[in-house]
Amino acid sequence: MYEAEKQSLIDCALQMKVEQLIKGSGGNVSLRVDKNLFLVTPSAMAYETMKPEDICVVNAEGEVVEGKRRPTSDITAILYIFNHRPEIGAIIHTHQPYATALSLVCDELPADFVTVIDELNAAVQVAPFTRSSDEGMGIQTVTYAGDALAVILKHHGVIAFGRDVDEALSSAVNLEEGCRCYLAALATGLPLAHLTPEQIADEAEERGYYGQPKES
C-alpha cells in the first residue's frame, strides 16, 4: 500500500541529510495517510539503502499493520502528536545542530526573521528536555508548539511538522537557517533588534502573490 507516499518519506529523509539536519540514520519521517493510519521510517536503517517496502504502516495504537521492519523508536511520541493534532499531516524529527545549539542558550527562536514568520508561522519555542524515544517528546511538542510549525527539543533536536512532508521539511530547513542567523547575532555581543508585534502581524498577512498559482 501507499508506494508513492512511502517513497516520499525516503526522499524527504535523504534531503534532510543534504540539508545537514541529520547524520547517519538519525531522525525520522512520518506521514498520516488515513485518520488512524500512518507511515513511519524504520528504526536505525540507512536512508541511502531504504526501499518503500522498508517503510512501516502503523495504526493509531502503534501496531504495525504492514511491513517487516521495526518502526522508529520515537513512535509513541509521533503518534501522540498525530492523535492530539489532527490537522498535522506529516512530522519529521531531526538533530539539526544550530537549533540544538540554540536550545542550550535560549528559550525560543523569536519571530525576528521574515522566514520564521512566513515559513514557521510564529516564534519557535524550546521545550524542556525529555528522554529520547519517550512519549514525553510528543507531549512537550504539543504543549509548546503554539502556532508554530516546529518545536526545539532542549539538548536534543527538532520536531517539525506540516500538512505534508514538503511543508514539514521546509519548516525544519527554515528553522535551522533562523537559528544560524540568531546565534550569529548573539555572538556579536551587540544589542539585538527585534520586530514589533505590529510588524510581525503585517509580515504574516496573506499577500496573495507568493509562489505559483495552482494548476486547474
Side-chain angles (χ1 to χ4, degrees), residues 3 15 58 61 63 75 83 117 121 159 161 163 180:
E3 290 298 302
Q15 189 61 32
V58 302
E61 288 72 46
E63 300 167 331
I75 186 64
N83 291 333
I117 301 167
N121 296 341
I159 291 183
F161 38 86
R163 292 163 296 185
R180 187 160 72 105

Side-chain angles (χ1 to χ4, degrees), residues 1-186:
M1 297 188 292
Y2 307 111
E3 290 298 302
E5 290 86 352
K6 290 176 179 178
Q7 185 60 50
S8 75
L9 266 65
I10 299 171
D11 293 342
C12 178
L14 291 171
Q15 189 61 32
M16 286 157 59
K17 297 196 78 170
V18 170
E19 300 287 352
Q20 299 186 24
L21 304 180
I22 56 172
K23 297 289 185 182
S25 61
N28 50 70
V29 187
S30 54
L31 176 69
R32 186 194 301 272
V33 291
D34 203 343
K35 182 178 179 181
N36 293 303
L37 207 59
F38 311 92
L39 305 181
V40 298
T41 48
S43 178
M45 283 193 67
Y47 298 117
E48 291 82 359
T49 58
M50 197 175 290
K51 296 178 172 57
E53 57 264 33
D54 294 317
I55 301 296
C56 304
V57 184
V58 302
N59 61 23
E61 288 72 46
E63 300 167 331
V64 177
V65 298
E66 182 188 295
K68 297 180 180 180
R69 303 295 186 183
R70 178 184 294 173
T72 170
S73 61
D74 295 327
I75 186 64
T76 56
I78 291 166
L79 290 176
Y80 184 93
I81 299 168
F82 276 134
N83 291 333
H84 288 80
R85 293 285 300 269
E87 78 282 8
I88 290 176
I91 300 169
I92 65 174
H93 171 48
T94 75
H95 300 146
Q96 52 199 79
Y98 286 103
T100 307
L102 183 137
S103 79
L104 305 183
V105 295
C106 297
D107 293 327
E108 71 170 15
L109 173 66
D112 284 329
F113 308 93
V114 294
T115 50
V116 172
I117 301 167
D118 295 345
E119 302 296 331
L120 289 147
N121 296 341
V124 178
Q125 302 301 310
V126 175
F129 175 75
T130 56
R131 187 177 64 172
S132 59
S133 301
D134 191 273
E135 187 181 52
M137 291 168 54
I139 295 171
Q140 297 289 44
T141 296
V142 171
T143 301
Y144 283 84
D147 294 327
L149 293 178
V151 167
I152 303 171
L153 303 174
K154 198 175 188 72
H155 302 282
H156 188 164
V158 165
I159 291 183
F161 38 86
R163 292 163 296 185
D164 51 36
V165 291
D166 289 338
E167 184 170 56
L169 179 61
S170 174
S171 300
V173 169
N174 283 285
L175 172 60
E176 186 71 346
E177 182 68 7
C179 289
R180 187 160 72 105
C181 291
Y182 194 60
L183 287 170
L186 287 174

